[in-house]
Amino acid sequence: WEYLKRRLRELGLVAGGGLKSGFVHGSSDANGGEVKDNPVNPGDLHATMFDLLGVDYTKENQTEQGRPIRVVDKGKPIKDLIA
């Protein structure tokens, strides 16, 4: 059960909106326990979605107190997913 919970947290399914159909990005080791190649993080997925929506994911906004907040922190679009 622990193994399954860990894998489900790392699983991501996306569809539509300019993404490739039936595309698998990356792979895991023979046991399915660790990422083998093409690792991505949530920021990468967010940057991909914003990029497809035409939103500048590199933009930095300011809070009322002047604190900078980036639209996407530590992410870049996953170009392999884009159709």
Side-chain angles (χ1 to χ4, degrees):
W1 174 242
E2 290 302 315
Y3 167 80
L4 183 58
K5 286 194 303 188
R6 182 174 175 200
R7 295 287 70 85
L8 290 176
R9 281 195 309 264
E10 296 170 357
L11 175 67
L13 300 174
V14 292
L19 297 174
K20 290 180 183 176
S21 176
F23 181 76
V24 176
H25 180 80
S27 63
S28 61
D29 63 16
N31 296 322
E34 299 297 328
V35 175
K36 183 177 173 185
D37 61 358
N38 296 326
V40 296
N41 62 52
D44 295 333
L45 186 57
H46 297 154
T48 304
M49 297 299 124
F50 281 124
D51 190 45
L52 289 169
L53 290 169
V55 175
D56 181 5
Y57 65 93
T58 64
K59 183 177 179 182
E60 187 174 273
N61 296 309
Q62 300 286 324
T63 66
E64 292 178 7
Q65 295 78 22
R67 188 175 138 234
I69 297 179
R70 295 186 60 194
V71 172
V72 173
D73 189 33
K74 299 178 184 172
K76 59 184 179 185
I78 308 165
K79 296 296 184 184
D80 288 346
L81 292 181
I82 300 172

